[in-house]
Amino acid sequence: MWFKNLQIYRLTAPWTMTSEQLEASLAAQTFSAGTSVEMQTQGWASPRENGMLVHTVNRQLLLELATEKKLLPATVVNQVSKARAAELEEQQGFKPGKKQMKEIKEQVTDELLPRAFSIRRSTRVWIDPVNGWLVVDAASPAKADEVFKLLLKSLEQLPFASLRTERSPLSAMTDWLAADEAPGGFTVDQDTELRATGEGKATVRYVRHTLEPEDVRRHIAGGKQCTRLAMTWSDRVSFVLTESLAIKRVAPLDVLKENTDSMARDDNERFDNDFMLMTGELAKMIADLVQALGGEEQQKKAA
């Protein structure tokens, strides 16, 4: 159950809410399947499918946002609307205007929605009251924003801010590659992206390719900066750091997998072991990464 992507946020005030209080606050926004005429529905679901909206292990909290969306391609709506407009033109003797076309599309959408396929996706949220982190397993900030919109509906207040560091990942990653030296506790892997800042934004990508220091330095000297860098932390977790301080492609290495598998007796215990191991390891990794980037930006942290 390891998170694949990390959108990281700092809790700006101590977390004082108990699991029971959080459960009660989320209950009003519990997920329920959408009706035949709803394009999208969202709500809190049980991370363990046991009816509980908050799963707690070792003071770490796990939430899950469920999203159900109807698949109704615009091309289908446009095709049916075009045929419907042609029929109307024949009846009334002139082409439908903008207002009529809008009404036709709305009517067609309402008619087709009950027959549209639905897809459901889940976005998991880890709240770490001990170290003050809030982490969303999302590949983009837009998906994380969906979580926060519903959290703010569910809670009276949620003091958080995006994680900001004294050094930008763009600058730090470029310097690490130029010096051919990763920060303490980390190693550089074989995937990276270097992009120019000019109008053309020329880009060079290395995928499972040994990074030759001289080649990399030549690209940097030519004005390119590192926007993505694959790294490994403490020989335990591999990931890709991006220029926006998002962490992607998170994967525990074999040493962690072996320890987890040997401890678990059943699925429930395995899930809890995985969650406890993940939160423990990632909390340390995030702290080390923040330190490698010069620490948290003091003005933002104070705000």
Side-chain angles (χ1 to χ4, degrees):
M1 63 80 50
W2 277 65
F3 283 21
K4 302 298 183 186
N5 304 283
L6 310 179
Q7 300 287 336
I8 307 170
Y9 302 85
R10 167 60 81 188
L11 294 174
T12 55
W15 182 270
T16 58
M17 186 175 290
T18 66
S19 297
E20 292 76 17
Q21 290 171 331
L22 180 58
E23 179 85 27
S25 296
L26 299 181
Q29 304 293 334
T30 300
F31 175 81
S32 59
T35 65
S36 60
V37 295
E38 289 181 296
M39 183 65 78
Q40 178 174 295
T41 55
Q42 286 185 320
W44 300 113
S46 173
R48 296 295 292 119
E49 297 183 355
N50 59 5
M52 301 297 293
L53 301 179
V54 181
H55 187 66
T56 307
V57 180
N58 197 30
R59 299 176 63 193
Q60 304 297 306
L61 309 175
L62 180 66
L63 314 179
E64 183 175 305
L65 172 68
T67 302
E68 185 181 83
K69 187 175 183 179
K70 294 287 181 63
L71 291 179
L72 185 57
T75 52
V76 174
V77 174
N78 290 337
Q79 183 179 0
V80 177
S81 298
K82 185 177 180 181
R84 193 75 55 84
E87 293 175 2
L88 187 60
E89 180 182 354
E90 188 174 339
Q91 293 172 9
Q92 63 187 18
F94 55 89
K95 289 184 177 182
K98 289 184 178 180
K99 183 179 180 181
Q100 276 189 304
M101 280 305 304
K102 181 181 178 183
E103 292 172 350
I104 290 172
K105 284 190 175 183
E106 290 174 350
Q107 183 180 5
V108 168
T109 300
D110 290 342
E111 292 174 2
L112 294 179
L113 265 179
R115 291 181 281 165
F117 289 105
S118 296
I119 58 170
R120 179 172 168 174
R121 61 178 171 83
S122 298
T123 304
R124 284 181 164 167
V125 186
W126 160 37
I127 300 174
D128 178 359
V130 179
N131 299 291
W133 300 119
L134 193 158
V135 181
V136 182
D137 185 1
S140 69
K143 296 299 182 188
D145 286 344
E146 294 180 2
V147 168
F148 291 119
K149 285 179 183 177
L150 200 61
L151 273 175
L152 291 170
K153 281 185 180 180
S154 304
L155 307 178
E156 291 184 4
Q157 57 180 355
L158 181 64
F160 74 96
S162 296
L163 173 63
R164 297 182 183 275
T165 52
E166 288 290 347
R167 294 194 66 193
S168 73
L170 192 73
S171 170
M173 292 188 296
T174 303
D175 287 349
W176 296 338
L177 287 180
D180 191 25
E181 185 176 357
F186 295 87
T187 56
V188 171
D189 297 335
Q190 295 184 321
D191 289 18
T192 190
E193 178 181 279
L194 297 158
R195 188 175 66 220
T197 56
E199 188 174 322
K201 292 188 176 180
T203 303
V204 174
R205 294 187 180 92
Y206 291 83
V207 180
R208 297 175 187 169
H209 192 288
T210 301
L211 305 182
E212 298 294 342
E214 292 306 316
D215 288 343
V216 172
R217 291 189 187 108
R218 188 179 71 253
H219 287 302
I220 292 173
K224 294 184 179 69
Q225 293 179 295
C226 182
T227 55
R228 295 169 62 94
L229 183 63
M231 304 178 74
T232 294
W233 170 74
S234 196
D235 295 326
R236 298 168 77 81
V237 181
S238 65
F239 63 94
V240 173
L241 178 63
T242 73
E243 61 182 315
S244 64
L245 198 44
I247 298 177
K248 301 189 175 184
R249 285 167 41 190
V250 177
L253 300 186
D254 290 341
V255 62
L256 292 179
K257 292 180 181 178
E258 291 169 2
N259 289 341
T260 306
D261 292 341
S262 63
M263 291 188 295
R265 290 193 294 264
D266 56 44
D267 288 344
N268 288 332
E269 190 171 355
R270 183 176 293 108
F271 185 95
D272 285 353
N273 286 344
D274 279 346
F275 182 55
M276 187 165 59
L277 184 66
M278 181 195 79
T279 55
E281 296 294 325
L282 292 186
K284 295 175 188 174
M285 187 189 83
I286 293 171
D288 285 353
L289 183 60
V290 169
Q291 184 178 3
L293 294 171
E296 290 185 66
E297 191 174 286
Q298 293 304 308
Q299 288 183 343
K300 293 293 182 182
K301 188 177 180 181

Short mmCIF file of all heavy atoms in Angstrom, two decimals, residues 121-148:
data_model
loop_
_atom_site.label_atom_id
_atom_site.label_comp_id
_atom_site.label_asym_id
_atom_site.label_seq_id
_atom_site.Cartn_x
_atom_site.Cartn_y
_atom_site.Cartn_z
N ARG A 121 -11.80 6.18 -8.83
CA ARG A 121 -10.40 6.24 -8.42
C ARG A 121 -10.32 6.68 -6.97
O ARG A 121 -11.23 7.32 -6.45
CB ARG A 121 -9.59 7.18 -9.31
CG ARG A 121 -10.05 8.61 -9.31
CD ARG A 121 -9.16 9.49 -10.18
NE ARG A 121 -9.71 10.81 -10.36
CZ ARG A 121 -9.58 11.81 -9.49
NH1 ARG A 121 -8.91 11.62 -8.36
NH2 ARG A 121 -10.10 12.99 -9.75
N SER A 122 -9.23 6.31 -6.34
CA SER A 122 -9.02 6.64 -4.94
C SER A 122 -7.75 7.45 -4.78
O SER A 122 -6.74 7.18 -5.44
CB SER A 122 -8.93 5.37 -4.09
OG SER A 122 -10.15 4.64 -4.16
N THR A 123 -7.80 8.44 -3.91
CA THR A 123 -6.63 9.25 -3.58
C THR A 123 -6.40 9.15 -2.08
O THR A 123 -7.28 9.54 -1.29
CB THR A 123 -6.85 10.73 -3.97
OG1 THR A 123 -7.19 10.81 -5.35
CG2 THR A 123 -5.58 11.54 -3.72
N ARG A 124 -5.27 8.62 -1.69
CA ARG A 124 -5.01 8.42 -0.26
C ARG A 124 -4.26 9.61 0.35
O ARG A 124 -3.47 10.29 -0.33
CB ARG A 124 -4.22 7.13 -0.05
CG ARG A 124 -5.13 5.90 -0.19
CD ARG A 124 -4.42 4.61 0.05
NE ARG A 124 -5.38 3.53 0.27
CZ ARG A 124 -5.06 2.26 0.26
NH1 ARG A 124 -3.82 1.87 0.06
NH2 ARG A 124 -5.99 1.33 0.46
N VAL A 125 -4.54 9.83 1.61
CA VAL A 125 -3.99 10.97 2.35
C VAL A 125 -3.37 10.46 3.64
O VAL A 125 -4.02 9.71 4.38
CB VAL A 125 -5.09 12.00 2.69
CG1 VAL A 125 -4.49 13.24 3.31
CG2 VAL A 125 -5.92 12.34 1.46
N TRP A 126 -2.14 10.86 3.89
CA TRP A 126 -1.44 10.48 5.13
C TRP A 126 -1.23 11.74 5.96
O TRP A 126 -0.64 12.71 5.50
CB TRP A 126 -0.12 9.80 4.77
CG TRP A 126 0.91 9.78 5.86
CD1 TRP A 126 0.71 9.61 7.21
CD2 TRP A 126 2.33 9.92 5.70
NE1 TRP A 126 1.90 9.64 7.88
CE2 TRP A 126 2.91 9.82 6.98
CE3 TRP A 126 3.17 10.10 4.59
CZ2 TRP A 126 4.30 9.92 7.19
CZ3 TRP A 126 4.54 10.19 4.79
CH2 TRP A 126 5.09 10.10 6.08
N ILE A 127 -1.77 11.72 7.17
CA ILE A 127 -1.55 12.82 8.12
C ILE A 127 -0.62 12.32 9.21
O ILE A 127 -0.90 11.31 9.87
CB ILE A 127 -2.89 13.29 8.73
CG1 ILE A 127 -3.83 13.79 7.63
CG2 ILE A 127 -2.64 14.42 9.74
CD1 ILE A 127 -5.22 14.15 8.13
N ASP A 128 0.49 13.03 9.38
CA ASP A 128 1.50 12.66 10.37
C ASP A 128 1.52 13.73 11.47
O ASP A 128 2.24 14.72 11.37
CB ASP A 128 2.87 12.57 9.69
CG ASP A 128 4.00 12.23 10.66
OD1 ASP A 128 3.72 12.08 11.87
OD2 ASP A 128 5.15 12.10 10.21
N PRO A 129 0.72 13.54 12.52
CA PRO A 129 0.68 14.54 13.60
C PRO A 129 2.00 14.62 14.37
O PRO A 129 2.29 15.66 14.98
CB PRO A 129 -0.45 14.04 14.52
CG PRO A 129 -1.22 13.05 13.70
CD PRO A 129 -0.22 12.44 12.77
N VAL A 130 2.78 13.55 14.36
CA VAL A 130 4.02 13.51 15.12
C VAL A 130 5.06 14.45 14.53
O VAL A 130 5.70 15.24 15.23
CB VAL A 130 4.57 12.07 15.19
CG1 VAL A 130 5.88 12.03 15.97
CG2 VAL A 130 3.54 11.13 15.82
N ASN A 131 5.24 14.36 13.20
CA ASN A 131 6.27 15.17 12.53
C ASN A 131 5.70 16.38 11.79
O ASN A 131 6.47 17.15 11.21
CB ASN A 131 7.05 14.29 11.55
CG ASN A 131 7.75 13.14 12.25
OD1 ASN A 131 8.70 13.35 13.00
ND2 ASN A 131 7.28 11.91 12.02
N GLY A 132 4.38 16.50 11.79
CA GLY A 132 3.77 17.69 11.20
C GLY A 132 3.67 17.67 9.69
O GLY A 132 3.74 18.73 9.05
N TRP A 133 3.47 16.49 9.08
CA TRP A 133 3.35 16.40 7.63
C TRP A 133 1.92 16.05 7.23
O TRP A 133 1.21 15.34 7.94
CB TRP A 133 4.28 15.33 7.05
CG TRP A 133 5.73 15.53 7.28
CD1 TRP A 133 6.57 14.71 7.96
CD2 TRP A 133 6.54 16.62 6.82
NE1 TRP A 133 7.84 15.21 7.97
CE2 TRP A 133 7.86 16.39 7.28
CE3 TRP A 133 6.28 17.77 6.08
CZ2 TRP A 133 8.91 17.26 7.02
CZ3 TRP A 133 7.32 18.65 5.82
CH2 TRP A 133 8.62 18.38 6.28
N LEU A 134 1.53 16.52 6.08
CA LEU A 134 0.31 16.07 5.42
C LEU A 134 0.71 15.73 3.99
O LEU A 134 1.21 16.59 3.26
CB LEU A 134 -0.77 17.16 5.44
CG LEU A 134 -2.20 16.72 5.08
CD1 LEU A 134 -3.22 17.69 5.63
CD2 LEU A 134 -2.39 16.58 3.57
N VAL A 135 0.53 14.47 3.60
CA VAL A 135 1.03 13.98 2.32
C VAL A 135 -0.11 13.37 1.52
O VAL A 135 -0.88 12.55 2.04
CB VAL A 135 2.15 12.94 2.52
CG1 VAL A 135 2.69 12.46 1.18
CG2 VAL A 135 3.28 13.53 3.37
N VAL A 136 -0.22 13.75 0.26
CA VAL A 136 -1.25 13.23 -0.62
C VAL A 136 -0.60 12.39 -1.70
O VAL A 136 0.38 12.81 -2.33
CB VAL A 136 -2.06 14.38 -1.28
CG1 VAL A 136 -3.16 13.82 -2.17
CG2 VAL A 136 -2.65 15.29 -0.21
N ASP A 137 -1.13 11.19 -1.91
CA ASP A 137 -0.63 10.30 -2.95
C ASP A 137 -1.27 10.71 -4.28
O ASP A 137 -2.27 10.12 -4.72
CB ASP A 137 -0.97 8.84 -2.61
CG ASP A 137 -0.36 7.85 -3.60
OD1 ASP A 137 0.32 8.29 -4.55
OD2 ASP A 137 -0.59 6.63 -3.44
N ALA A 138 -0.70 11.73 -4.89
CA ALA A 138 -1.26 12.27 -6.14
C ALA A 138 -0.11 12.68 -7.05
O ALA A 138 0.92 13.18 -6.60
CB ALA A 138 -2.15 13.47 -5.86
N ALA A 139 -0.30 12.46 -8.35
CA ALA A 139 0.75 12.78 -9.31
C ALA A 139 0.80 14.27 -9.63
O ALA A 139 1.81 14.76 -10.13
CB ALA A 139 0.55 11.98 -10.59
N SER A 140 -0.28 15.00 -9.32
CA SER A 140 -0.32 16.43 -9.66
C SER A 140 -0.93 17.23 -8.53
O SER A 140 -1.77 16.71 -7.77
CB SER A 140 -1.13 16.65 -10.95
OG SER A 140 -2.50 16.39 -10.71
N PRO A 141 -0.56 18.51 -8.40
CA PRO A 141 -1.18 19.37 -7.38
C PRO A 141 -2.69 19.49 -7.56
O PRO A 141 -3.42 19.68 -6.58
CB PRO A 141 -0.48 20.72 -7.61
CG PRO A 141 0.81 20.39 -8.27
CD PRO A 141 0.52 19.19 -9.13
N ALA A 142 -3.18 19.38 -8.80
CA ALA A 142 -4.62 19.49 -9.04
C ALA A 142 -5.39 18.39 -8.32
O ALA A 142 -6.47 18.62 -7.77
CB ALA A 142 -4.92 19.45 -10.54
N LYS A 143 -4.84 17.17 -8.33
CA LYS A 143 -5.49 16.06 -7.62
C LYS A 143 -5.43 16.29 -6.11
O LYS A 143 -6.37 15.95 -5.39
CB LYS A 143 -4.81 14.74 -7.98
CG LYS A 143 -4.92 14.34 -9.44
CD LYS A 143 -6.35 14.17 -9.87
CE LYS A 143 -6.45 13.74 -11.32
NZ LYS A 143 -7.85 13.73 -11.82
N ALA A 144 -4.33 16.84 -5.63
CA ALA A 144 -4.23 17.16 -4.20
C ALA A 144 -5.24 18.24 -3.82
O ALA A 144 -5.81 18.20 -2.72
CB ALA A 144 -2.81 17.60 -3.86
N ASP A 145 -5.48 19.18 -4.72
CA ASP A 145 -6.45 20.25 -4.44
C ASP A 145 -7.85 19.67 -4.20
O ASP A 145 -8.62 20.21 -3.40
CB ASP A 145 -6.49 21.25 -5.59
CG ASP A 145 -5.26 22.16 -5.62
OD1 ASP A 145 -4.56 22.22 -4.59
OD2 ASP A 145 -5.02 22.80 -6.65
N GLU A 146 -8.18 18.59 -4.89
CA GLU A 146 -9.49 17.95 -4.68
C GLU A 146 -9.60 17.47 -3.24
O GLU A 146 -10.66 17.58 -2.62
CB GLU A 146 -9.67 16.78 -5.64
CG GLU A 146 -9.75 17.18 -7.11
CD GLU A 146 -9.93 15.98 -8.01
OE1 GLU A 146 -10.02 14.84 -7.49
OE2 GLU A 146 -9.99 16.16 -9.24
N VAL A 147 -8.51 16.93 -2.71
CA VAL A 147 -8.49 16.47 -1.32
C VAL A 147 -8.73 17.64 -0.38
O VAL A 147 -9.55 17.56 0.55
CB VAL A 147 -7.15 15.79 -1.00
CG1 VAL A 147 -7.00 15.56 0.50
CG2 VAL A 147 -7.03 14.47 -1.76
N PHE A 148 -8.04 18.74 -0.60
CA PHE A 148 -8.13 19.88 0.31
C PHE A 148 -9.50 20.54 0.26
O PHE A 148 -10.00 21.02 1.28
CB PHE A 148 -7.02 20.88 0.03
CG PHE A 148 -5.67 20.35 0.40
CD1 PHE A 148 -4.68 20.21 -0.55
CD2 PHE A 148 -5.39 19.97 1.70
CE1 PHE A 148 -3.43 19.70 -0.21
CE2 PHE A 148 -4.15 19.47 2.05
CZ PHE A 148 -3.18 19.34 1.10
#
